[in-house]
Amino acid sequence: MARLNLLEETRFEKLPVSVYKNSREASLSVAARIATLIKEKQAKGEQAVIGLATGATPVQVYAELVRLHREEGLSFKDVITFNLDEYYPMQPDAVQSYVTFMNKHLFDHIDIDKANVHIPDGTLDLADIPAYCVEYERKITALGGLDFQLLGIGRTGHIGFNEPGSAPNSGTRLVTLDDLTRRDASRDFGGKENVPTKAITMGIGTIFKAREIILMAWNPVKAEIVKKAVEGEISSDVPATYLQLSDHVEFILDEGAASELTRFNTPWLVTDCVWDSQTIKKAVIWLAEAVDKPILKLTEEDYNNHGMAQLATEKGPVYNINIDIFNQLQHTITGWPGGKPNADDSQRPERAVPAKKNVIIFSPHPDDDVISMGGTFIRLADQGHNVHVAYQTSGNTAVWDDDVLRYLEFATDFIKSLDVETSKLDALYADTRKFIAAKKPNQIDTEEIRTVKGLIRKGEAIAGARFAGLPDEHIHFQNLPFYDRGKFSKEVSYEDDVQQTMELLRKVKPHQVFAAGDFADPHGTHKVCFDIILEALVRLRQTDEWTKDCWLWLYRGAWHEFEIHEIEMAVPLSPQEVIRKRHAIFKHQSQKDLPVFPGDDAREFWVRAEDRTSETARKYDALGLADYEAIEAFIRWKLD
Ligand code: F6R
């Protein structure tokens, strides 16, 4: 065991963990440690031998090292680096190679001697790999071993590319990538089928010999695997658990990646809690799930046996706590997502007045509206509200190339049938066909192809919104510029997007805004789309009176749902509404069967949507509330 854990709070944690507010602060501190190591070594006239990782996680560390070099004179002249891994096979000049990655993020911007840089060679003949790996290890050993090793963690629990099943004493070698790892990499390669199946990686034994090991993880996406690595049993199923055996390892996490650790997720199990209303709600719902009982049947004994005796004493008797939480959950349920006219709304999620509300649903991609809140969308329209929908981006990235040809053929044939000149279209078609035939994975499409793909999605979005009952003039295809701009430049201004959104909001003057509240991927389109809406609303609040009556509701994207204790409005769907919603999703034909970016979930979007809403309904039922077919969930973002 790495150390004696004396703190109560962290008693489930089997290695040292430091949690930072965000990945930026954490990255700065890691970069500072690396810089100190380099300088200490330099002062002694020695070289620093550093193991490096690639991927999204270390990018900010490298950016800070580059800054330290440029602005504070940190020199890498005496630094020798060994990268953890490289895909196999892989040409060093390929966009996805780790050589390209390291040059782009670090080596091209610092004064390192390229002869001191080592990255496993993805171009070797298979037969030459074993000897190459032995030599890679020998070089590290000859230099006195790694002073420092930087690590990320994959969702399989891999470190380097040591996938589940790797031995604790494994050395540098050729490995087969796990399917989940390849799916996670599929965006970089333009589809999982283009991701190599193999990689050359340093072994766990190699990593282990480093004198200091820092594993970093950001984002709630990593929270589950981080919990297993930190609190789980040591097992080859989660190779990162081997790090528990090291005396010089530390995990550096942001709050999102740490969120599943016991001290944050269920703090009552390890420490005395401050029992505020949100913690009580979370704990009681957790308890009901843990003992598999409805809330109103929870007993004092259940509380005492699950770390909640303090709550029972401070706020009990427990039956009163149970009733209070039950009522809170009951009050989240409403069949009137736009407010119930002429009803007492003191215990309802939405206001009764005005009875007919102006509503705008923002959909980051053209199908998020129906996938994530299709039932509520249909209900709002059915209940007579003045509903608008705004498709924020064209979503052109997610359309298959062969659909482009199909639609162009349709357009040409149609125009020909009218006996109209088509030579321009014929030429465009020929060029497009040639481009697609020679297209490399992840190559950016021509402007014309992007337009056709965007139009395909526009047609589908309009069909979906019409199906939900909207008139054409309430359907807005914003086509925000940041979406395509991001493909060509790193410019991060969203000013034109914000202006466009403000203009639309001014036109609609909504009482309700629905937006996708997906914050798991800080660089993802959903997060950017949300930030644009928020910025637009914040600015409008300075000048426009109607904003005082405007409530912002968040729904979740296609993947995760809010946790039950977070939900503030739960809209139940009847079996018929579930089917209507399904048909609205079916209007998005280009995304059906096999979307271009399925992510890590093989289910079709409509299946995911239905599984998610029926799961929420099941959870409400299990807690002792009514048994519905499906529930769509929302939380309210307070603008004040
Ligand atoms: C990269 C590597 C991998 C990554 C891990 C996390 O050299 O060896 O173990 O550290 O897959 O990847 P990101 O940081 O992209 O989430």
Side-chain angles (χ1 to χ4, degrees):
M1 172 77 64
R3 57 164 189 165
L4 267 182
N5 197 339
L6 299 174
L7 283 177
E8 245 208 342
E9 226 194 10
T10 54
R11 76 186 136 92
F12 287 125
E13 296 171 19
K14 297 171 179 163
L15 43 76
V17 175
S18 301
V19 182
Y20 288 79
K21 194 153 181 41
N22 53 47
S23 59
R24 184 174 154 69
E25 282 178 23
S27 301
L28 293 187
S29 91
V30 172
R33 275 158 85 154
I34 296 176
T36 306
L37 168 75
I38 294 173
K39 283 189 262 179
E40 277 173 7
K41 285 275 181 178
Q42 273 163 357
K44 287 192 258 172
E46 291 172 12
Q47 292 173 313
V49 186
I50 299 182
L52 296 175
T54 53
T57 310
V59 167
Q60 295 178 89
V61 173
Y62 297 149
E64 173 63 5
L65 288 174
V66 170
R67 193 197 67 78
L68 288 171
H69 168 68
R70 285 191 179 148
E71 295 176 16
E72 298 184 21
L74 178 67
S75 171
F76 291 78
K77 284 220 153 61
D78 301 312
V79 175
I80 303 183
T81 64
F82 286 87
N83 260 78
L84 279 169
D85 41 23
E86 176 61 285
Y87 292 107
Y88 181 83
M90 179 56 68
Q91 291 301 320
D93 58 355
V95 196
Q96 301 88 355
S97 87
Y98 285 167
V99 174
T100 304
F101 177 97
M102 289 308 301
N103 288 339
K104 177 172 156 206
H105 289 284
L106 186 64
F107 298 144
D108 282 351
H109 315 289
I110 57 175
D111 60 345
I112 195 162
D113 179 351
K114 288 262 169 112
N116 286 342
V117 165
H118 306 86
I119 301 178
D121 184 352
T123 67
L124 297 170
D125 279 343
L126 259 185
D128 296 334
I129 293 178
Y132 176 85
C133 291
V134 170
E135 179 58 15
Y136 204 73
E137 297 265 337
R138 196 201 57 77
K139 275 189 194 147
I140 297 175
T141 314
L143 288 161
L146 296 164
D147 293 308
F148 184 98
Q149 177 63 56
L150 195 60
L151 296 176
I153 182 169
R155 288 194 303 146
T156 57
H158 71 213
I159 47 175
F161 274 138
N162 293 283
E163 298 286 14
S166 298
N169 56 355
S170 49
T172 303
R173 69 206 186 286
L174 184 70
V175 292
T176 299
L177 296 177
D178 204 87
D179 195 61
L180 178 57
T181 301
R182 292 183 65 226
R183 269 187 276 156
D184 278 348
S186 65
R187 225 167 226 275
D188 293 338
F189 285 84
K192 193 185 92 177
E193 63 283 5
N194 303 319
V195 182
T197 53
K198 296 197 179 295
I200 299 176
T201 183
M202 276 189 202
I204 297 186
T206 327
I207 294 169
F208 221 81
K209 282 184 248 162
R211 282 182 282 280
E212 188 178 356
I213 304 172
I214 297 284
L215 184 147
M216 308 186 299
W218 323 136
N219 213 310
V221 174
K222 297 281 171 76
E224 198 183 320
I225 195 68
V226 163
K227 180 186 169 72
K228 284 188 187 156
V230 173
E231 298 186 0
E233 294 297 318
I234 296 173
S235 147
S236 71
D237 291 348
V238 181
T241 55
Y242 289 128
L243 295 172
Q244 293 174 16
L245 296 165
S246 168
D247 282 330
H248 26 254
V249 67
E250 183 174 345
F251 275 35
I252 304 271
L253 309 175
D254 71 354
E255 288 181 355
S259 59
E260 291 282 330
L261 295 179
T262 304
R263 64 171 140 145
F264 299 109
N265 193 32
T266 48
W268 49 88
L269 290 177
V270 283
T271 180
D272 282 351
C273 285
V274 178
W275 287 106
D276 56 39
S277 58
Q278 203 49 17
T279 311
I280 298 175
K281 193 171 175 192
K282 184 176 183 188
V284 172
I285 292 169
W286 170 85
L287 179 61
E289 283 172 357
V291 299
D292 197 16
K293 281 184 183 178
I295 290 174
L296 294 176
K297 288 193 179 172
L298 294 173
T299 63
E300 184 141 3
E301 201 182 343
D302 294 326
Y303 276 64
N304 291 344
N305 289 341
H306 292 83
M308 289 162 59
Q310 185 206 359
L311 171 62
T313 320
E314 272 180 30
K315 314 267 179 185
V318 300
Y319 196 64
N320 291 2
I321 304 176
N322 294 347
I323 290 180
D324 182 35
I325 300 302
F326 179 86
N327 285 339
Q328 285 186 36
L329 278 176
Q330 180 68 42
H331 294 150
T332 62
I333 302 174
T334 182
W336 299 86
K340 186 170 184 181
N342 307 315
D344 170 10
D345 59 8
S346 56
Q347 303 284 8
R348 291 178 174 277
E350 249 300 348
R351 302 147 292 174
V353 284
K356 188 172 168 182
K357 292 192 173 60
N358 298 334
V359 179
I360 184 160
I361 298 169
F362 281 100
S363 182
H365 298 100
D367 52 357
D368 291 307
D369 56 341
V370 285
I371 290 175
S372 300
M373 56 167 291
T376 306
F377 186 167
I378 291 171
R379 243 179 210 225
L380 286 163
D382 282 358
Q383 289 173 349
H385 297 287
N386 190 24
V387 183
H388 290 248
V389 65
Y391 298 103
Q392 294 179 275
T393 72
S394 73
N396 64 31
T397 318
V399 177
W400 294 105
D401 292 337
D402 52 7
D403 278 339
V404 173
L405 297 179
R406 183 171 135 199
Y407 277 84
L408 278 180
E409 282 154 15
F410 173 87
T412 316
D413 286 351
F414 178 64
I415 294 175
K416 273 188 185 146
S417 79
L418 301 175
D419 223 7
V420 173
E421 167 56 36
T422 61
S423 57
K424 264 195 177 160
L425 205 51
D426 288 336
L428 171 69
Y429 176 76
D431 287 350
T432 304
R433 204 156 174 173
K434 215 159 77 201
F435 176 87
I436 288 175
K439 188 174 158 185
K440 300 220 173 60
N442 256 16
Q443 187 178 341
I444 296 169
D445 286 325
T446 61
E447 192 179 339
E448 292 78 11
I449 295 179
R450 278 183 281 125
T451 304
V452 175
K453 288 184 173 178
L455 288 174
I456 292 173
R457 299 212 67 183
K458 180 177 179 181
E460 294 169 349
I462 292 173
R466 265 188 208 146
F467 183 85
L470 294 205
D472 289 3
E473 62 279 14
H474 284 199
I475 306 171
H476 312 275
F477 206 73
Q478 286 192 286
N479 205 355
L480 290 177
F482 85 85
Y483 182 73
D484 273 347
R485 188 171 50 217
K487 293 176 181 153
F488 301 101
S489 81
K490 289 235 160 301
E491 200 203 320
V492 282
S493 160
Y494 300 110
E495 187 54 31
D496 41 3
D497 309 287
V498 173
Q499 290 296 337
Q500 209 175 313
T501 304
M502 284 170 70
E503 213 170 290
L504 179 59
L505 283 165
R506 270 206 172 113
K507 236 191 266 165
V508 177
K509 297 193 177 39
H511 301 96
Q512 289 187 309
V513 172
F514 286 87
D518 291 289
F519 307 126
D521 174 7
H523 307 296
T525 305
H526 282 214
K527 174 75 166 75
V528 175
C529 284
F530 177 73
D531 288 344
I532 289 167
I533 299 167
L534 196 58
E535 178 63 22
L537 282 171
V538 167
R539 288 196 205 172
L540 287 167
R541 280 166 76 84
Q542 317 284 329
T543 50
D544 290 32
E545 202 43 37
W546 60 266
T547 56
K548 304 277 179 302
D549 288 330
C550 176
W551 284 17
L552 174 56
W553 288 101
L554 305 188
Y555 61 86
R556 276 274 159 96
W559 291 274
H560 302 284
E561 189 50 281
F562 297 114
E563 288 187 50
I564 300 293
H565 69 273
E566 297 174 308
I567 296 174
E568 290 173 272
M569 177 157 72
V571 181
L573 308 185
S574 69
Q576 282 79 1
E577 282 169 317
V578 170
I579 296 199
R580 277 177 79 191
K581 171 175 172 174
R582 185 187 305 170
H583 288 160
I585 299 173
F586 283 175
K587 299 292 174 201
H588 295 268
Q589 284 168 332
S590 69
Q591 306 303 302
K592 240 198 84 52
D593 303 328
L594 185 64
V596 180
F597 294 112
D600 62 356
D601 190 332
R603 293 171 301 171
E604 280 194 52
F605 287 124
W606 68 276
V607 181
R608 296 183 204 184
E610 287 183 20
D611 287 354
R612 188 165 64 124
T613 51
S614 66
E615 177 60 11
T616 307
R618 190 200 59 74
K619 285 185 177 162
Y620 266 68
D621 178 32
L623 292 168
L625 294 126
D627 184 4
Y628 292 104
E629 177 77 4
I631 288 180
E632 288 179 347
F634 302 87
I635 64 167
R636 197 177 147 207
W637 183 278
K638 313 285 181 306
L639 287 162
D640 297 314

